[in-house]
Amino acid sequence: MVSLGIYLYLAPSLPDAEQLKDVDLQTPLRVYTEDGLLISEFGEKRRSPISFDEVPQQFIDALLASEDDAYFQHIGVDFKGLARAALELIRTGRKKSGGSTITMQVAKNYYLSSEKTFKRKFTEILLALKIEKALSKQEILELYVNKIYLGKRAYGIQAAARVYYGKTIDQLTLAQLAMIAGLPQAPSAANPINSPERAIERRNYVLARMRTLDKITDEQFQTAAREPISARYHGPTSEVSAPYVAEMVRRDMIERFGSEAYTAGYKVFTTVDAARQQAANLALQRGLLSYDRDHGWRTTNDNRSVIPSEPLSLAHQDPVLQEWLAKADPQQDIDWPQTLEQWRSTLNRRPDNGVLKPAMVTAVHNNGAWILLKDSEYWLPFSRIEWAKRYVNVNVIGDPIKAAGDVLSRGQEIWVEQLGDGYRLAQFPEVEGSLVSLRPRDGAIQALIGGFSASSNEFNRAIQADRQPGSSFKPFIYSAALANGFTPASIINDAPVVFEDASLESTWRPQNNSGKFYGPTRLRQALYKSQNLVSIRILKQMGAGKAINFIEPFGFPREKLSRDLSLALGASAVTPMELATGYAVLANGGYAVKPYLIQRIEDDNNNVLYQANPAIACSDCDRNDNNDNNNDLDAQQALEQQLRDSLGLTNEEQPAEQPKTPLAPQVMDSRTHFLMMSMLQDVVKRGTGRRALVLKRNDLAGKTGTTNDQKDGWFSGFSPDLVTTVWVGFDQHVTLGRWAYGSNTALPIWVDYMKEALKDVPQRPYQQPEGVVSVRIDAETGLLAAPGQSNAIFEYFREENVPQQPVKSAPAFGDDSPDSDAELIPEQMF
């Protein structure tokens, strides 16, 4: 009667066990590359749900041996176990075991609190009986292994396998499976990281139970019981390092879903290409380290020492040992076991930073040093130390060092740069940088880095740092000029000029970096030689307002663009992302695309919640705005087919039921684009971007940039398939040094990245559009070449802008020809 009364009292409040079939487990937010590699995960609970069929049989045997060996025989409640627990409580006054079955634990974990009351226990029993009627044994066990807490933020056996062993559950040994199977009893206090002794005792108990139940052989038991503990903490496994990308996605997801973003198991697939992101990581870090080496060795906190442990105490009573200790050399005779343990503990507290690895100096010789890394000891030859001349200031370094001991000492904490065949002495650079790489046809972000290390500074310079772009902004001024009647052969006087302009607040005397003036200069020459006075004069002729109206649609916020002549020299601060967006227009044929990072969002059941549908740059698509065509279904389908054909997509890759693909607006006509692109190719072929020639491609174009006092170094360049912007500078807006320019700071990083990013991409030279012709002109005047003129050059023009007047005489140029490379100088803002 008592049982009946309890049932009648509790039954109305029991939840529906059928709901467990549709239960949503709290799983973290995961961020992936476009090709499905994990970038990062966010959330308090680490969980990776798996199906019953994915659980190894040996783990099921271990779990049941540990928790509920009669699981497949009882009806959800082990009445004998409950009776035993009750008698134990009555006899001792203490509850040693709860008699809970796995089904009862599922009831508690999914529906009930952890309070220890009789009401909760009776509710747990009744719920277990309902669950057994609603679900199969396999379904219940699947719920259990995915919900149970196993320590170190790991919920479920798959997460535990990754946290403790860095593997999936099906890759574990018998001993490791038994270790995890023993964790539910005391996951925090007896896990193999917090308490190895208790964990191994519990593991061996599980193994012994398996042997008793004939689930393993005696040989298997003996082997597994002797296996040493191999568990250590494994943080969230990242297959691709892109911390700035991960943070951008996290913020976006919080805006979309609130705190649910951390627990609902959302999967975000970004546009990032894994191989390109990895290439960008290496290129940027190695480029910044190269700059850092060129400016000498700084004494910083990174160079602190961990003093080696002394030999055995001098107070030792053994007279023989006392005599030895009195003669011991404290520089050599140290307590090595204790010292190595201390050094390894220090190293384990310091995370890797990309190509930089923490190390301890263990011994120093004239010709090199022995260093200890987390995994082993390595020899660091003097040839990889000798760069470390003393840093004096940004323009001065000290005398050459003569031995490794000039900079290193035993016990010193250092950084080393990982190379293909070993390591090189390094230091954490103070200089910063960023890289943004976009797919110009639609603005998809292929790679993004906001600084040398997100672990040391989360400030994302790619999207948050407004910096003056210097001469790398000039292509937009020149594009506006070409759209407003100028030609690549237009002659502009590169001569001194003084501006009395109220908007500039003072008299302005701009000049070229060399201090020289080159007189009448063709527009093409002025761009690849980066002559400042020409840029200023063409902007003055156009007017800043007209130039801004042309440039703004490229993706630059209007409020950031200066409305005075300093606009011509890149004095308007923009972010690397904004500059890359502008260059995407130059790369894709003249179409404004918007950068985007999230390709699609899926829920925990792989349902697509969001799918990006970016506007596409398509020069071959029909953009007829005629109302009849817009309303005609056949015309729309034809337009879609043109777009698919232009992108090389099959009909299957873009099903008919998907949203129509929008077309990016054209903000530069094809003829202006071709002229501008050909001028930017000359920057690479014969101007300040010539370092890019090492890539041996004929479809590259771009522009360097260096701001006043060398505070910023830039290179933005592109092929038809990829546009990339690199920035280098100090966060404090101080000079990079008198010899630092975009061409030797940012451009080498760009080259190293593009070498890998375009490795398997075929060359695609830009096609000359209709209405553009090539004619022979006189290089000095820009007029038509005289018949038979031997030093004439070819230039592109719109048909209507071809010079009509021939040159009156044909001068013969020597090394000082306007097309000579002899006068090339680094570019500078002013």
Side-chain angles (χ1 to χ4, degrees):
M1 291 298 293
V2 174
S3 300
L4 178 60
I6 293 173
Y7 174 78
L8 292 175
Y9 173 70
L10 294 176
S13 63
L14 294 178
D16 184 3
E18 289 282 346
Q19 295 175 354
L20 285 174
K21 293 183 177 180
D22 302 314
V23 69
D24 288 327
L25 297 171
Q26 289 191 16
T27 52
L29 166 67
R30 292 190 174 95
V31 183
Y32 297 91
T33 63
E34 67 174 351
D35 33 357
L37 298 184
L38 181 66
I39 293 176
S40 187
E41 67 177 38
F42 299 94
E44 181 182 350
K45 297 180 178 180
R46 294 183 61 183
R47 194 194 305 275
S48 299
I50 58 176
S51 68
F52 178 81
D53 292 338
E54 295 174 292
V55 182
Q57 183 60 47
Q58 273 196 333
F59 179 81
I60 294 174
D61 294 340
L63 180 67
L64 299 187
S66 169
E67 297 291 317
D68 188 356
D69 59 15
Y71 173 72
F72 283 102
Q73 285 74 50
H74 61 59
I75 60 172
V77 179
D78 181 2
F79 291 104
K80 289 183 179 179
L82 285 173
R84 186 169 56 251
L87 290 173
E88 208 171 64
L89 178 62
I90 294 170
R91 186 173 63 252
T92 65
R94 291 184 300 167
K95 184 176 77 69
K96 293 184 179 179
S97 63
S100 291
T101 64
I102 283 179
T103 311
M104 292 169 67
Q105 291 183 57
V106 168
K108 181 181 69 174
N109 288 336
Y110 281 89
Y111 287 122
L112 305 175
S113 68
S114 58
E115 63 175 341
K116 297 181 179 180
T117 64
F118 285 108
K119 177 182 177 182
R120 203 263 318 163
K121 196 67 175 180
F122 281 123
T123 303
E124 182 182 306
I125 292 170
L126 294 177
L127 254 179
L129 295 173
K130 286 191 70 174
I131 290 171
E132 287 276 348
K133 289 183 178 180
L135 303 177
S136 69
K137 289 286 188 180
Q138 289 78 8
E139 288 173 324
I140 296 169
L141 200 56
E142 180 179 312
L143 288 168
Y144 180 81
V145 299
N146 284 317
K147 178 75 171 181
I148 191 69
Y149 178 60
L150 298 170
K152 297 297 178 184
R153 293 176 53 220
Y155 290 79
I157 61 173
Q158 186 75 295
R162 286 174 171 155
V163 165
Y164 294 113
Y165 300 107
K167 300 177 181 179
T168 55
I169 192 72
D170 61 306
Q171 296 173 320
L172 301 187
T173 65
L174 172 60
Q176 292 168 339
L177 291 171
M179 180 73 76
I180 292 178
L183 288 175
Q185 187 184 72
S188 297
N191 69 62
I193 295 176
N194 290 356
S195 182
E197 296 80 8
R198 286 186 62 183
I200 203 167
E201 181 181 341
R202 178 66 178 168
R203 180 200 70 181
N204 289 348
Y205 164 77
V206 174
L207 290 169
R209 289 283 298 142
M210 294 178 73
R211 178 68 192 97
T212 300
L213 297 171
D214 287 328
K215 298 299 181 182
I216 57 175
T217 65
D218 187 63
E219 182 181 357
Q220 286 177 306
F221 168 75
Q222 296 294 339
T223 301
R226 286 195 297 266
E227 187 174 307
I229 288 183
S230 57
R232 62 181 179 85
Y233 181 73
H234 294 76
T237 302
S238 175
E239 296 172 291
V240 177
S241 176
Y244 293 100
V245 168
E247 176 60 15
M248 290 168 67
V249 171
R250 185 194 70 82
R251 292 188 180 189
D252 186 286
M253 292 295 288
I254 290 297
E255 289 181 6
R256 293 174 189 257
F257 301 106
S259 59
E260 181 186 316
Y262 295 132
T263 60
Y266 294 121
K267 296 186 285 288
V268 181
F269 292 86
T270 67
T271 60
V272 170
D273 178 276
R276 286 175 171 171
Q277 181 66 41
Q278 290 170 332
N281 293 340
L282 287 175
L284 184 72
Q285 285 202 326
R286 287 183 170 156
L288 297 181
L289 288 171
S290 176
Y291 168 90
D292 193 71
R293 283 195 304 274
D294 290 344
H295 291 79
W297 177 256
R298 302 181 309 277
T299 301
T300 68
N301 288 335
D302 287 343
N303 311 138
R304 60 187 178 274
S305 294
V306 177
I307 305 302
S309 298
E310 294 294 332
L312 296 172
S313 171
L314 289 172
H316 202 282
Q317 299 302 312
D318 188 329
V320 176
L321 188 58
Q322 280 278 14
E323 182 181 355
W324 178 84
L325 287 172
K327 300 176 182 179
D329 179 359
Q331 296 298 315
Q332 301 295 331
D333 300 311
I334 64 176
D335 184 348
W336 278 109
Q338 182 176 345
T339 298
L340 288 174
E341 182 179 350
Q342 183 181 10
W343 284 347
R344 285 198 172 96
S345 176
T346 299
L347 291 176
N348 287 332
R349 291 195 299 269
R350 297 180 70 180
D352 294 353
N353 277 281
V355 299
L356 282 189
K357 311 293 180 186
M360 302 293 300
V361 179
T362 62
V364 180
H365 305 276
N366 287 338
N367 63 339
W370 285 100
I371 58 172
L372 178 69
L373 274 72
K374 293 178 182 179
D375 59 344
S376 186
E377 196 172 22
Y378 295 88
W379 172 250
L380 192 64
F382 180 69
S383 61
R384 294 183 174 179
I385 302 172
E386 62 181 339
W387 66 265
K389 306 176 185 71
R390 183 174 62 90
Y391 171 87
V392 178
N393 59 54
V394 74
N395 293 315
V396 179
I397 57 177
D399 296 330
I401 64 172
K402 298 179 180 179
D406 291 345
V407 291
L408 300 180
S409 59
R410 187 168 63 184
Q412 184 178 356
E413 291 184 66
I414 60 171
W415 291 102
V416 290
E417 179 185 357
Q418 186 172 18
L419 304 174
D421 58 346
Y423 296 90
R424 172 168 54 203
L425 178 65
Q427 59 191 349
F428 212 94
E430 294 180 345
V431 69
E432 278 294 354
S434 70
L435 182 151
V436 177
S437 189
L438 307 176
R439 193 166 59 206
R441 82 172 190 224
D442 62 355
I445 297 173
Q446 296 282 274
L448 183 145
I449 310 175
F452 184 87
S453 170
S455 63
S456 64
N457 192 329
E458 294 183 357
F459 181 61
N460 189 342
R461 295 157 190 84
I463 61 173
Q464 294 177 305
D466 283 322
R467 307 290 295 220
Q468 293 180 336
S471 293
S472 62
F473 194 78
K474 288 178 180 176
F476 305 107
I477 302 297
Y478 279 66
S479 295
L482 293 173
N484 282 277
F486 287 81
T487 75
S490 294
I491 300 296
I492 307 295
N493 193 20
D494 184 58
V497 64
V498 177
F499 293 103
E500 300 285 352
D501 191 331
S503 66
L504 298 175
E505 299 181 356
S506 63
T507 300
W508 186 36
R509 294 181 175 84
Q511 58 181 332
N512 296 317
N513 183 56
S514 65
K516 298 179 182 179
F517 301 96
Y518 299 93
T521 306
R522 285 179 290 113
L523 214 61
R524 180 181 292 273
Q525 281 180 299
L527 182 64
Y528 72 68
K529 291 187 177 182
S530 204
Q531 293 172 212
N532 291 333
L533 278 302
V534 173
S535 301
I536 293 170
R537 288 180 185 275
I538 62 175
L539 180 60
K540 186 171 179 63
Q541 289 186 46
M542 277 190 298
K546 183 178 288 187
I548 289 173
N549 289 339
F550 181 83
I551 294 168
E552 180 189 7
F554 284 51
F556 295 106
R558 192 179 187 89
E559 64 274 12
K560 288 188 175 184
L561 300 178
S562 304
R563 298 191 63 83
D564 55 49
L565 296 178
S566 66
L567 180 70
L569 303 182
S572 301
V574 298
T575 66
M577 177 67 79
E578 288 164 346
L579 193 63
T581 303
Y583 270 84
V585 177
L586 302 174
N588 67 26
Y591 302 91
V593 294
K594 294 182 179 180
Y596 72 105
L597 180 60
I598 295 180
Q599 182 65 44
R600 74 179 184 278
I601 300 171
E602 296 180 359
D603 65 14
D604 209 20
N605 296 314
N606 300 323
N607 298 311
V608 177
L609 305 179
Y610 167 80
Q611 178 73 52
N613 188 29
I616 303 292
C618 179
S619 58
D620 298 327
C621 296
D622 184 3
R623 295 170 182 268
N624 193 333
D625 290 332
N626 182 280
N627 288 333
D628 292 337
N629 281 343
N630 287 340
N631 295 327
D632 184 78
L633 180 60
D634 292 337
Q636 177 61 44
Q637 291 175 342
L639 180 68
E640 295 293 323
Q641 187 61 52
Q642 283 182 309
L643 180 60
R644 285 193 293 270
D645 293 342
S646 71
L647 300 178
L649 300 177
T650 65
N651 290 334
E652 289 74 18
E653 290 176 285
Q654 186 172 302
E657 63 269 16
Q658 286 196 359
K660 294 183 174 68
T661 303
L663 299 180
Q666 187 171 13
V667 296
M668 176 191 287
D669 71 71
S670 60
R671 298 193 298 170
T672 300
H673 168 263
F674 180 81
L675 296 176
M676 189 68 245
M677 178 277 307
S678 72
M679 293 169 66
L680 286 172
Q681 285 189 310
D682 263 6
V683 175
V684 170
K685 292 175 182 176
R686 52 199 319 196
T688 54
R690 284 182 297 175
R691 286 176 185 262
L693 290 175
V694 71
L695 298 179
K696 297 180 180 179
R697 295 181 68 101
N698 62 9
D699 60 350
L700 299 179
K703 185 70 184 74
T704 49
T706 309
T707 59
N708 196 31
D709 293 330
Q710 287 96 348
K711 293 177 181 176
D712 302 270
W714 296 81
F715 188 79
S716 288
F718 56 87
S719 75
D721 298 294
L722 195 65
V723 60
T724 302
T725 289
V726 175
W727 167 81
V728 174
F730 289 101
D731 287 337
Q732 300 79 12
H733 289 266
V734 296
T735 181
L736 289 162
R738 69 169 63 104
W739 297 289
Y741 301 96
S743 56
N744 59 16
T745 57
L747 178 54
I749 296 170
W750 186 92
V751 169
D752 286 349
Y753 166 68
M754 294 292 272
K755 178 174 60 179
E756 295 301 318
L758 296 177
K759 183 167 56 178
D760 299 320
V761 179
Q763 297 189 47
R764 285 203 302 135
Y766 289 92
Q767 299 300 313
Q768 182 174 332
E770 293 184 10
V772 172
V773 295
S774 176
V775 301
R776 294 172 72 250
I777 64 167
D778 173 61
E780 184 176 9
T781 65
L783 301 177
L784 287 176
Q789 183 174 337
S790 60
N791 60 353
I793 62 173
F794 281 94
E795 184 56 273
Y796 292 111
F797 296 90
R798 293 185 183 86
E799 288 179 331
E800 64 272 23
N801 295 138
V802 172
Q804 301 301 309
Q805 184 180 355
V807 67
K808 294 182 179 179
S809 60
F813 296 111
D815 291 339
D816 293 329
S817 163
D819 276 341
S820 170
D821 292 334
E823 298 294 339
L824 286 179
I825 56 170
E827 76 300 327
Q828 180 143 337
M829 194 176 83
F830 50 83

